[in-house]
Amino acid sequence: MAKDLTLLLLLALPLLGFAVNGLFGKNLPKIMVGSLATGVVFTAFLLATTLFSGLHGTQIVHLFNIIDFDQLQINASFQIDALSVWMTLIITGIGSLIHLFSMGYMSHDEGYHKFFTYLNLFIFSMLLLVLGSNYFVLFFGWEGVGMCSYLLISFHYNDAQKGLVNSLAGRKAFIMNRIGDVGLLLALFMLLGQFNTLEFLQIGAAVQQNTALQGGAMFFITLSLFIAATGKSAQIPLFTWLPDAMAGPTPVSALIHAATMVTAGIYLTVRSNFLFELAPFTKDIMLYVGLATTLFAAFMALRQNDIKKVLAYSTVSQLGLMFVALGFGAYTVALFHVTTHAFFKALLFLGSGSVIHGMHEEQDIRKMGGLAKLMPVTHFTFLIGTMAISGIPFLSGFFSKDEIMAQALHHNAFAYVVLVIAVTMTAIYMFRLYFLTFHGAFRGGEALKSKVHESGLSMTLPLVLLAVLSVFGGLLNLPGLFFKGAAHWFDHYLSHSTFGLSEVHNVHLDFNTSIGLMLFASAVAIGVMIWAYLNYAKRGALAKEDAALSGWERLSAQKLYVDEIYHAAFVKPLLALSDFIGKVVDIQMLRNGIYALADGILHSANLTRKWQTGFLSSYLFWMIFGLITFIAYYILKLSVWH
Amino acid sequence: MQTASSIGTSLDFFLFVSFALFTIGAIGAMTRKNMIVLLMCIELMLNAVNLMLVTFSTYYGNGDAQIFVFFTMVVAAAEATVGLSIIIMAYRNLKSIDIDMYNQLKN
Amino acid sequence: MSLQIISIILGSLTLASALMVVLSKHPIRSVIYLVVTFFFITSMYIMMNAQFLAIVNMIVYAGAIMVLFLFVLMLLNLNKEMEPMNTKGAQLAAFIAGGSLFLVLITALKDTLILGQTYRQQDNSIGLVKELGNLLFTKYVVAFELTSILFIAAMVGAILLAKREKQIIE
């Protein structure tokens, strides 16, 4: 099949699933709804693999013109190149696994069809985002995923106990995303003003031809793009929505907030690499924001007690890591980490979903324990996910993190130190989570223990598949030390067919430094694993109750009070302002003011009314008076005032 | 028959008379309460204006002003007629020709 | 010189009788004084050699209109003594307004060309019937025709207004 038809079909299928499930889903049997939704996404994945195998340079597929003037043309057109196809593979591949998982997870839910409708819409929007050939289609998809995120986070808005919390979380996510979107809009306008087009290829060509572009314009454009990425990819200061977004169902957290939507910011940056290369100052900002995010988020995860919250802060921290890589200009390295992170974070989230399902909606790890025997498959896959994210050697996470640390070591020693601390903390909190959940005695009470069961096949199959990917995912981009021939496959794949990336060369350290780096990282990871085993499994340390927390632990558990700070600094003044405007300006000034005006007119009308006395003599008097004034005016005008 | 000294009448005197007549008519219209006397004062004012027009026509040697006077008289005649019939009707309604009784248009 | 004295006397007498029109207490007397005022105004017209207008003034105003006034007064028996005057304040306002009007009108004559102008009767021939007739039937003939319509309207209005209600119904 021709490539453009493949692409259009790829886009149309999730949209079709959305339409059918949305319109008729209520009346269809559940199995059909779920199979249809999963089927369209899986078919899209297969189509994407055909595109992947036949990939040859960059191809534009033009659909129709949106705006068509002489000076300005914006098209609905799509781009098939290495970057977009790879992102499509991740989205549809992991997406179909999560759809499969949801068939089992959400089977008891009333809004079953609604859930799959939103999921398909999300897939469609995300595909628009990554497949667009210009910033406009990207923006369309950007907004679409933001909306779907809102819909899905506040999915259980009717819940008796937590309905309000869910809705507020959805609203928070939407608003924070919106703040970032301002950046994207600004960047769009600036790009239009500078280049008169929004197409990636055209802008890239213009940038390459005109090497004397002003640094100032580039700085603002890239800064605005980075602000947009901050909103979507949960960097400081716009990250507090992501932990709150855990109020949504677990498949949503897995798909949107681990694997796909939050990587939109990274995608945007990689897509605009030729712009960022001209703005080194923005890259420095990205670097330091990423460093701060990864460090602080890891700190906050150390003492969280909700299984999903730990994973949420872990996501924020890992995203920070990706931005550190982007800050060094190592775009392919960042994308490699995006890929491996998608694998193991989706695995971890789905695993936690399985745990929550088995524990009958209990999410507090202080009430778990000893689940290793009760839920074997979940336990094993979760262990693999934990080891991957901590950087245990030869799993996928090890390779991607190692690349980033190599970049840091080469460019900026301070960054390297910070990264080491962050990686250590990552390993600590992940193993803490693992051991408290799966080892030791069950702490949730006997009644619950008898009901805990392993999840069904629809849930465990995706877990196993993702575990396999997490183990072998590192093969994509092996370091050049071993396997000289097959090394850095991902780097080559991406840079040969993505505009701008062929110019960028990642740093490769020499042999000794590389070995030393890898050994050090492995030592840290394995060391933490052993410490955690000794601490939690052997010694039986438990998560402390809230009252017993020490100073720094309280800071961590309370998320460094960031939410409270935001509330005091932004929300309260805004509410006070709107209160003021509502009560004072609206009621007193405007309403009373208009009433006063009307009253004034009424009064003056009453006064004027008395002039009509009804007596002829007074009328005559005023006529004569007017006549006198008239004549006097003309006399004065003609004689005195020349 | 002409002598060196001014033997003609001075025209500005007629103008003064006209102004004074007009003023007297105006004061009368504002002061009197009998409707018929009111109408007569209005006729007085009209005549004052006629006098002034004739004076100016004499000064400029132009006959147009006298034609204007002619038409003014025509209109005054028609207006007096109609005014008087209105007074008759008003008298029938309120049995009085006091102008201050007819103030229903007040306020 | 004698003409001037004559005109001054005539002017003062006009003003005196006009004052009596306004001030007299019986309405019939006001009518008589108004007729006298018309006589004197006519005499001033004659002094300015506006012959046609003088005659028309007498016939129309003093002859027709004043007779009409008298008829109405007599018919409706309105010859009562005057009702009480307006309040002193209203009278004062009327006098002040009138006085100011007079002043302003006089001031309007300042620096105009007509002041001090005299004329000699023999040189003025525009007031004659022949000349006025010429003007009336050439330049202003349309207005002349339109006045006939005006008269018809006035006649119809007057008759309709003065008819008694019962007669109309029957």
Side-chain angles (χ1 to χ4, degrees):
Chain A
M1 203 169 16
K3 274 214 220 151
D4 40 356
L5 274 179
T6 313
L7 180 73
L8 293 177
L9 196 58
L10 203 156
L11 278 170
L13 277 172
L15 193 61
L16 180 70
F18 159 70
V20 170
N21 273 338
L23 290 171
F24 309 113
K26 224 186 211 167
N27 309 323
L28 295 171
K30 277 191 180 169
I31 187 75
M32 214 165 120
V33 166
S35 320
L36 175 67
T38 314
V40 291
V41 182
F42 186 65
T43 317
F45 174 69
L46 292 176
L47 290 172
T49 49
T50 61
L51 281 179
F52 172 70
S53 57
L55 188 61
H56 190 60
T58 310
Q59 183 178 354
I60 307 269
V61 175
H62 178 90
L63 202 54
F64 57 87
N65 285 359
I66 299 176
I67 296 180
D68 195 8
F69 302 137
D70 277 339
Q71 297 93 342
L72 180 61
Q73 285 200 326
I74 297 184
N75 310 323
S77 54
F78 305 103
Q79 188 166 335
I80 305 177
D81 67 359
L83 178 60
S84 54
V85 170
W86 189 256
M87 294 293 294
T88 311
L89 281 175
I90 296 180
I91 295 166
T92 50
I94 300 193
S96 42
L97 286 176
I98 293 182
H99 274 74
L100 183 61
F101 185 86
S102 312
M103 284 174 69
Y105 189 80
M106 301 289 290
S107 57
H108 301 305
D109 200 294
E110 293 181 358
Y112 192 77
H113 68 281
K114 198 166 68 160
F115 189 73
F116 280 101
T117 313
Y118 290 156
L119 272 187
N120 273 3
L121 183 64
F122 173 82
I123 299 281
F124 172 70
S125 307
M126 194 70 202
L127 285 177
L128 268 187
L129 203 160
V130 299
L131 282 172
S133 80
N134 54 37
Y135 282 98
F136 189 78
V137 179
L138 186 148
F139 180 69
F140 214 79
W142 191 275
E143 297 292 317
V145 296
M147 180 186 78
C148 291
S149 162
Y150 166 74
L151 289 171
L152 284 165
I153 293 174
S154 48
F155 187 70
H156 288 130
Y157 62 89
N158 276 334
D159 187 86
Q161 297 160 322
K162 294 198 283 185
L164 187 63
V165 172
N166 296 342
S167 314
L168 287 177
R171 187 182 76 173
K172 185 172 181 174
F174 203 36
I175 291 181
M176 281 200 157
N177 262 296
R178 219 67 188 99
I179 299 177
D181 290 348
V182 172
L184 188 56
L185 269 175
L186 278 177
L188 245 69
F189 284 129
M190 284 195 270
L191 280 167
L192 263 183
Q194 187 83 15
F195 297 105
N196 221 21
T197 174
L198 289 177
E199 299 282 330
F200 297 134
L201 288 182
Q202 288 177 6
I203 296 181
V207 163
Q208 280 185 339
Q209 281 166 8
N210 183 5
T211 49
L213 274 173
Q214 307 88 322
M218 277 302 135
F219 170 66
F220 283 113
I221 294 177
T222 50
L223 187 66
S224 310
L225 287 175
F226 178 58
I227 292 175
T230 311
K232 255 311 181 267
S233 298
Q235 298 299 294
I236 288 177
L238 295 172
F239 68 96
T240 53
W241 64 271
L242 206 148
D244 279 20
M246 295 300 119
T250 313
V252 171
S253 310
L255 181 62
I256 298 184
H257 307 123
T260 41
M261 186 181 98
V262 293
T263 58
I266 319 279
Y267 167 76
L268 177 68
T269 312
V270 175
R271 199 39 112 186
S272 320
N273 59 70
F274 38 84
L275 293 175
F276 279 90
E277 285 303 304
L278 289 176
F281 193 53
T282 316
K283 283 207 289 187
D284 280 344
I285 296 178
M286 266 203 300
L287 172 66
Y288 287 107
V289 169
L291 280 176
T293 308
T294 188
L295 193 62
F296 288 123
F299 178 70
M300 291 186 214
L302 283 174
R303 283 290 175 266
Q304 296 296 318
N305 288 324
D306 183 328
I307 193 173
K308 283 174 69 175
K309 286 256 170 35
V310 177
L311 293 175
Y313 284 107
S314 166
T315 305
V316 176
S317 178
Q318 296 298 307
L319 286 170
L321 201 58
M322 294 177 215
F323 273 100
V324 168
L326 287 176
F328 287 127
Y331 301 102
T332 55
V333 169
L335 266 175
F336 181 42
H337 196 60
V338 165
T339 314
T340 58
H341 176 259
F343 295 151
F344 53 68
K345 199 39 81 58
L347 169 64
L348 284 169
F349 266 110
L350 290 183
S352 69
S354 175
V355 166
I356 293 173
H357 188 80
M359 292 280 293
H360 291 276
E361 313 305 326
E362 176 59 63
Q363 291 183 260
D364 194 333
I365 59 176
R366 292 173 291 193
K367 296 206 173 63
M368 301 181 192
L371 289 178
K373 299 188 186 57
L374 296 167
M375 304 173 77
V377 179
T378 309
H379 160 248
F380 187 61
T381 52
F382 201 89
L383 177 61
I384 292 186
T386 312
M387 290 206 292
I389 195 176
S390 309
I392 298 291
F394 305 119
L395 295 178
S396 57
F398 169 73
F399 289 113
S400 59
K401 281 202 203 198
D402 187 67
E403 285 280 344
I404 301 182
M405 309 264 275
Q407 302 293 320
L409 187 61
H410 178 84
H411 284 116
N412 192 338
F414 168 72
Y416 177 70
V417 170
V418 171
L419 283 185
V420 167
I421 300 176
V423 165
T424 316
M425 284 203 281
T426 305
I428 293 178
Y429 66 69
M430 281 312 298
F431 277 111
R432 168 180 177 267
L433 179 68
Y434 165 73
F435 280 114
L436 282 177
T437 310
F438 290 101
H439 284 261
F442 187 79
R443 298 182 289 275
E446 279 306 315
L448 190 54
K449 186 169 179 178
S450 54
K451 287 193 277 184
V452 170
H453 59 280
E454 179 60 88
S455 310
L457 185 65
S458 82
M459 290 206 267
T460 48
L461 181 60
L463 288 178
V464 170
L465 286 173
L466 283 172
V468 169
L469 282 173
S470 303
V471 169
F472 295 110
L475 290 173
L476 286 171
N477 203 21
L478 292 169
L481 296 179
F482 331 108
F483 318 106
K484 281 273 198 279
H488 290 292
W489 172 85
F490 186 68
D491 279 351
H492 294 315
Y493 159 77
L494 205 58
S495 44
H496 275 157
S497 179
T498 308
F499 193 91
L501 285 184
S502 51
E503 325 285 298
V504 179
H505 299 291
N506 295 334
V507 165
H508 296 307
L509 301 174
D510 62 13
F511 187 79
N512 288 337
T513 325
S514 300
I515 289 282
L517 193 65
M518 277 200 234
L519 282 177
F520 180 61
S522 313
V524 166
I526 297 178
V528 170
M529 184 167 79
I530 295 176
W531 167 84
Y533 176 70
L534 291 174
N535 192 24
Y536 291 105
K538 274 279 183 277
R539 201 159 66 100
L542 294 175
K544 295 187 196 165
E545 292 305 316
D546 289 337
L549 291 173
S550 68
W552 70 267
E553 288 177 326
R554 187 158 303 169
L555 270 181
S556 165
Q558 293 297 331
K559 309 160 286 178
L560 286 174
Y561 296 105
V562 174
D563 271 327
E564 284 78 4
I565 294 174
Y566 280 179
H567 189 82
F570 297 114
V571 177
K572 267 175 128 180
L574 198 66
L575 287 177
L577 183 67
S578 78
D579 226 19
F580 171 71
I581 292 183
K583 293 212 179 76
V584 175
V585 173
D586 209 26
I587 293 187
Q588 288 183 357
M589 290 208 247
L590 289 178
R591 191 186 78 168
N592 288 350
I594 294 190
Y595 279 4
L597 188 67
D599 275 347
I601 293 183
L602 205 61
H603 276 306
S604 65
N606 270 341
L607 280 174
T608 318
R609 204 167 56 141
K610 298 217 171 23
W611 207 5
Q612 295 213 308
T613 56
F615 296 136
L616 192 66
S617 41
S618 75
Y619 292 165
L620 274 172
F621 170 75
W622 286 111
M623 272 173 66
I624 304 285
F625 181 75
L627 188 63
I628 294 173
T629 316
F630 200 65
I631 300 179
Y633 169 71
Y634 270 106
I635 294 175
L636 289 169
K637 181 172 159 184
L638 287 173
S639 60
V640 173
W641 295 332
H642 291 301
Chain B
M1 291 236 239
Q2 303 157 358
T3 59
S5 61
S6 64
I7 56 168
T9 39
S10 69
L11 289 177
D12 43 359
F13 180 70
F14 289 132
L15 282 184
F16 295 146
V17 170
S18 159
F19 292 157
L21 272 179
F22 187 84
T23 312
I24 292 172
I27 293 181
M30 285 193 266
T31 310
R32 298 296 302 249
K33 296 206 318 187
N34 194 330
M35 273 204 277
I36 301 206
V37 178
L38 191 67
L39 266 181
M40 291 198 299
C41 294
I42 292 174
E43 297 293 328
L44 195 54
M45 283 198 270
L46 279 168
N47 264 283
V49 171
N50 286 351
L51 183 60
M52 191 169 89
L53 275 170
V54 168
T55 311
F56 275 117
S57 119
T58 312
Y59 170 63
Y60 282 109
N62 199 348
D64 292 348
Q66 299 201 359
I67 301 295
F68 193 63
V69 169
F70 177 72
F71 284 118
T72 308
M73 280 192 212
V74 162
V75 171
E79 164 238 330
T81 312
V82 175
L84 281 173
S85 44
I86 290 179
I87 290 180
I88 292 177
M89 229 183 149
Y91 178 74
R92 276 199 215 129
N93 276 335
L94 279 185
K95 288 287 180 263
S96 160
I97 49 168
D98 180 358
I99 195 76
D100 284 340
M101 303 267 289
Y102 294 92
N103 61 354
Q104 277 92 357
L105 278 182
K106 116 172 141 165
N107 281 352
Chain C
M1 179 77 163
S2 52
L3 278 176
Q4 272 202 314
I5 297 179
I6 292 176
S7 58
I8 291 175
I9 292 174
L10 283 176
S12 340
L13 285 175
T14 319
L15 289 179
S17 58
L19 263 172
M20 289 314 296
V21 169
V22 171
L23 291 178
S24 77
K25 291 202 184 343
H26 288 141
I28 301 274
R29 292 196 192 165
S30 291
V31 175
I32 302 294
Y33 279 123
L34 192 59
V35 173
V36 171
T37 313
F38 282 146
F39 265 113
F40 286 124
I41 291 178
T42 308
S43 71
M44 282 197 281
Y45 285 167
I46 293 179
M47 288 220 61
M48 287 193 275
N49 207 16
Q51 303 168 1
F52 176 64
L53 278 180
I55 302 299
V56 167
N57 198 8
M58 274 321 295
I59 297 177
V60 169
Y61 262 118
I65 295 180
M66 286 302 122
V67 171
L68 203 55
F69 271 99
L70 265 178
F71 269 152
V72 170
L73 272 177
M74 294 302 199
L75 229 51
L76 299 181
N77 212 6
L78 294 171
N79 193 15
K80 305 176 186 62
E81 285 264 334
M82 206 168 64
E83 289 94 20
M85 293 282 280
N86 290 336
T87 59
K88 285 283 186 237
Q91 275 187 302
L92 185 69
F95 278 121
I96 289 177
S100 320
L101 182 64
F102 186 64
L103 272 175
V104 159
L105 286 171
I106 298 290
T107 317
L109 281 185
K110 178 176 104 85
D111 291 340
T112 51
L113 296 170
I114 198 171
L115 280 182
Q117 282 295 321
T118 60
Y119 88 109
R120 288 178 297 188
Q121 195 176 353
Q122 299 90 315
D123 296 337
N124 189 5
S125 66
I126 49 163
L128 301 176
V129 180
K130 188 165 95 170
E131 302 297 331
L132 275 184
N134 223 353
L135 261 180
L136 188 61
F137 286 108
T138 53
K139 210 162 147 190
Y140 297 106
V141 65
V142 178
F144 181 68
E145 303 298 332
L146 285 176
T147 51
S148 58
I149 300 181
L150 178 71
F151 272 138
I152 294 211
M155 271 199 290
V156 168
I159 294 176
L160 211 56
L161 280 174
K163 248 182 177 244
R164 288 193 184 267
E165 298 267 320
K166 299 179 210 135
Q167 288 170 327
I168 299 173
I169 294 174
E170 276 165 343

